[in-house]
Amino acid sequence: MTDIHEPTHHDLSIDQRLALKTAATRLHGEFDGVFGTETIERFLSSSYDQFASHATIPRFLPLLAERFARQRLHALARVEGHHDDGKPTVLFLCVHNAGRSQMALGFFQHLAEDRAVAWSGGSEPGHEINPSAIAAMAERGIDISGEYPKPWTDEIVRAADVVITMGCGDACPVFPGKRYLDWTLDDPAGKSVEDVRPVRDEIERRVRGLLDELGVPAR
């Protein structure tokens, strides 16, 4: 049996340490035969560090770290050729990953269902999803309240077939040979739900166009 080590962070509570060890065990079960324990624990630890500096609710840190590590490991598996399901993969990037990119992700996942893969990230991730964006998307029957701002990482960008940038400028990652599309959209930060609706509707129009271009039927 593979030995799952205790987390290396020494400032964690007993509950957090247990939660991280449990997360590592789950991830090892999911990626057994693909990645070794060292890689899985390194991704989990670095994912934890990504959120620890600005977490508003520390008890959720192990869960966020596990979710982000899982996404990164899936991306790395694609990059290294361990997993290829043939589904188009799209990455939506903005500055805070709290509004535009989260709405785009919500529409993409809702419309494409399991026929394509989408991720999102930010160059300077915020602390929470924009409440007006959540409310505006809820009006369309799409719940993005369970999402969370997160950074982009090299393996996630490299795994994407198309990278959609939304106002992150020079901070957006550039990888040679990668297909980029820049969507000029108003930033929903600080706006009311009423002001966010036109941005939401324009994002839906663009996502539908992107799916059509990728040959992915929209529900």
Side-chain angles (χ1 to χ4, degrees):
M1 179 178 294
T2 302
D3 182 30
I4 304 298
H5 300 98
E6 288 288 342
T8 56
H9 301 81
H10 300 294
D11 57 341
L12 303 182
S13 68
I14 293 176
D15 287 344
Q16 286 175 316
R17 291 172 66 87
L18 177 60
L20 276 179
K21 186 172 183 179
T22 301
T25 300
R26 279 194 294 262
L27 290 172
H28 187 272
E30 292 176 38
F31 293 94
D32 187 29
V34 180
F35 299 116
T37 301
E38 182 180 346
T39 297
I40 292 170
E41 292 184 353
R42 174 166 53 85
F43 271 58
L44 181 60
S45 179
S46 60
S47 295
Y48 181 94
D49 290 339
Q50 294 278 5
F51 300 106
S53 62
H54 60 272
T56 55
I57 308 179
R59 71 176 181 273
F60 289 150
L61 277 172
L63 176 60
L64 293 179
E66 180 182 355
R67 288 176 61 184
F68 192 41
R70 179 177 290 107
Q71 177 180 315
R72 294 175 60 198
L73 288 166
H74 277 300
L76 185 61
R78 285 177 178 269
V79 170
E80 295 187 349
H82 300 301
H83 176 74
D84 183 9
D85 54 15
K87 296 178 182 179
T89 302
V90 176
L91 174 62
F92 297 102
L93 295 176
C94 66
V95 178
H96 301 303
N97 191 217
R100 290 165 292 186
S101 56
Q102 292 287 359
M103 288 192 287
L105 176 67
F107 274 122
F108 192 99
Q109 292 179 328
H110 176 74
L111 295 170
E113 297 181 308
D114 63 352
R115 294 180 289 275
V117 176
W119 299 313
S120 70
S123 54
E124 299 176 14
H127 298 299
E128 63 179 4
I129 305 299
N130 184 324
S132 293
I134 293 174
M137 292 297 287
E139 292 178 348
R140 304 303 302 274
I142 300 174
D143 183 8
I144 63 171
S145 63
E147 293 296 331
Y148 55 100
K150 50 196 171 297
W152 57 266
T153 60
D154 284 357
E155 66 278 348
I156 288 175
V157 181
R158 290 166 60 202
D161 298 308
V162 183
V163 179
I164 309 292
T165 61
M166 307 176 186
C168 47
D170 293 339
C172 282
V174 177
F175 285 74
K178 189 66 60 182
R179 184 187 176 198
Y180 288 86
L181 295 173
D182 185 56
W183 289 0
T184 302
L185 298 160
D186 289 339
D187 189 347
K191 296 184 182 297
S192 66
V193 177
E194 182 178 3
D195 290 333
V196 169
R197 287 179 186 132
V199 182
R200 174 202 65 192
D201 294 345
E202 177 61 15
I203 289 174
E204 180 182 11
R205 185 187 71 79
R206 295 191 186 213
V207 168
R208 287 184 179 275
L210 175 63
L211 288 170
D212 185 60
E213 184 181 337
L214 294 172
V216 177
R219 60 181 293 180

